[in-house]
Amino acid sequence: MVKIEEMLVLSCLPIFCSTTEAKSSGVISVPRLVLQTSWDSQVTAYPVSYGSVALKISQDGFVHVLNGANVGNEIVTFTLNGSYVGKIPGWYNFPVDMVIHQANQTLVSAIGAMGDDHSMRFGMVLYNRSGDFYHGFHETDTGLVRPSGLAMLNTTDSKTTVAVCDWNKNETRFVEVDWKAGRVEVLQDILIRVPYPSSVALSRDKFLIVSDVCCEPWHEPLRKISLFNINGNLLTDVKDLPTGERISTPEKVAVDPVGNFLVRDQGLNKTLLFTSDLKYIGYFEELGTPTHIEFYNDQLFTIEENYAGTEETHKVKVYDYIY
């Protein structure tokens, strides 16, 4: 862990430093990762493959993995060391992201989200406390055309504010989820305009949104990462790195225990690390580009794809995350 006095200098870090320099001068280098355990995230066999796309750790300390595609649509629960607990059906296909309330209710964004009329469209699905379908939300219900990345901001009793990337409308909106009443309402006071947002994360009072789109030449400058304040005002964005590389395919973002941003860039084949002010620190040599990144206490949880010929499997990996 980083000492309190080290945390105070995050906004004025040099771009690179060694581990020794970090300990002696109070600056931060790329943390060291120590693999502790791993396990298969897919517990149901199907004749065709499906993926594990996201994971969240609930307040009671269980790992929930979002699985699916054409088949395999289910949310699977494990203990923190990988023991299988159970699963609930996915009322969706091709899931994208999810958030979990303190009562273990789940909100899922998906390419095919089931609505209350049982139709499948871009949207979100809300689960009740028993893990059953509660309500589905399509564009006609929320105005959100293609919900993608989700991030919880704050929770008061049964209501949570969630940031939702609307990839199709080039917007990120805040919604209020009333878990008890089963409602999702778009809040009108904040609208963040950013091209093709796919993932969002909050560090203190700042949002990092990654823009990812393919495959026209004019799309290339739009693939970048953008930092906003809590009111939705742009603070800065990054396309070019001090290494001479350029942000290529930023697909996921996460926040580590001290508030730094991790960005998975599939095109660079790297997971990049930035300060909360979007100063580049470096990248994780041993990590590659996991499908999903999540933190719980001082550990990093990832979903990683593995290929053996035509066989595709997904694993949860747990690392100690050491500054």
Side-chain angles (χ1 to χ4, degrees):
M1 275 299 294
V2 178
K3 296 178 182 179
I4 296 298
E5 59 266 29
E6 293 173 341
M7 293 176 64
L8 299 178
V9 301
L10 286 178
S11 62
C12 54
L13 297 179
I15 292 174
F16 297 104
C17 64
S18 68
T19 303
T20 302
E21 291 169 338
K23 291 180 179 178
S24 61
S25 65
V27 296
I28 295 179
S29 62
V30 176
R32 183 165 58 94
L33 303 180
V34 179
L35 181 64
Q36 292 300 314
T37 187
S38 67
W39 66 85
D40 291 338
S41 58
Q42 299 159 303
V43 299
T44 306
Y46 285 90
V48 293
S49 64
Y50 64 95
S52 298
V53 299
L55 71 80
K56 299 294 178 182
I57 295 96
S58 52
Q59 287 191 2
D60 53 1
F62 288 93
V63 180
H64 305 268
V65 178
L66 182 64
N67 287 341
N70 276 318
V71 297
N73 296 298
E74 56 195 20
I75 301 173
V76 186
T77 302
F78 303 91
T79 64
L80 290 171
N81 62 8
S83 296
Y84 172 69
V85 176
K87 62 183 180 179
I88 58 176
W91 301 103
Y92 54 78
N93 55 42
F94 294 98
V96 178
D97 205 356
M98 68 176 175
V99 292
I100 297 180
H101 182 247
Q102 59 197 17
N104 285 346
Q105 287 183 257
T106 306
L107 180 70
V108 174
S109 59
I111 292 175
M114 191 175 81
D116 287 358
D117 60 357
H118 302 288
S119 64
M120 306 292 282
R121 298 186 181 90
F122 291 117
M124 297 181 290
V125 175
L126 182 64
Y127 286 74
N128 63 22
R129 291 190 177 192
S130 301
D132 297 321
F133 177 84
Y134 201 177
H135 287 294
F137 302 92
H138 295 153
E139 181 183 0
T140 53
D141 305 300
T142 63
L144 302 173
V145 179
R146 187 172 175 174
S148 183
L150 308 175
M152 291 181 65
L153 309 184
N154 56 69
T155 296
T156 303
D157 298 324
S158 66
K159 296 181 180 179
T160 299
T161 303
V162 177
V164 181
C165 296
D166 190 339
W167 189 90
N168 199 75
K169 290 182 73 174
N170 297 318
E171 297 175 354
T172 295
R173 303 299 300 262
F174 292 175
V175 305
E176 182 182 79
V177 182
D178 189 325
W179 304 92
K180 186 175 180 180
R183 291 195 299 265
V184 171
E185 179 183 355
V186 175
L187 303 178
Q188 300 301 319
D189 52 342
I190 300 291
L191 188 158
I192 301 174
R193 297 192 181 277
V194 61
Y196 303 105
S198 62
S199 182
V200 57
L202 173 69
S203 177
R204 302 182 181 93
D205 58 351
K206 299 173 185 176
F207 292 93
L208 185 63
I209 300 174
V210 301
S211 297
D212 183 31
V213 61
C214 180
C215 297
E216 298 294 334
W218 60 271
H219 286 152
E220 201 279 333
L222 302 179
R223 296 195 291 268
K224 60 184 178 179
I225 57 178
S226 304
L227 189 67
F228 297 84
N229 65 19
I230 199 71
N231 296 315
N233 300 313
L234 178 66
L235 299 176
T236 187
D237 55 29
V238 171
K239 176 65 178 178
D240 297 301
L241 300 176
T243 59
E245 298 169 298
R246 307 194 83 197
I247 297 293
S248 174
T249 316
E251 295 178 335
K252 287 284 185 179
V253 61
V255 178
D256 76 9
V258 300
N260 293 329
F261 291 108
L262 286 78
V263 177
R264 184 193 80 192
D265 192 311
Q266 192 70 34
L268 294 178
N269 194 30
K270 294 178 179 179
T271 297
L272 311 170
L273 184 66
F274 297 84
T275 70
S276 59
D277 290 323
L278 223 50
K279 301 296 189 298
Y280 182 62
I281 299 173
Y283 73 97
F284 297 85
E285 292 186 11
E286 64 273 63
L287 194 56
T289 54
T291 303
H292 190 84
I293 306 167
E294 194 75 19
F295 286 90
Y296 183 74
N297 295 334
D298 294 324
Q299 289 190 308
L300 170 64
F301 288 71
T302 68
I303 296 174
E304 301 185 22
E305 298 177 358
N306 300 273
Y307 295 92
T310 59
E311 187 73 17
E312 177 185 352
T313 61
H314 294 74
K315 287 186 176 292
V316 175
K317 292 189 176 182
V318 185
Y319 301 85
D320 284 343
Y321 190 82
I322 305 168
Y323 272 108

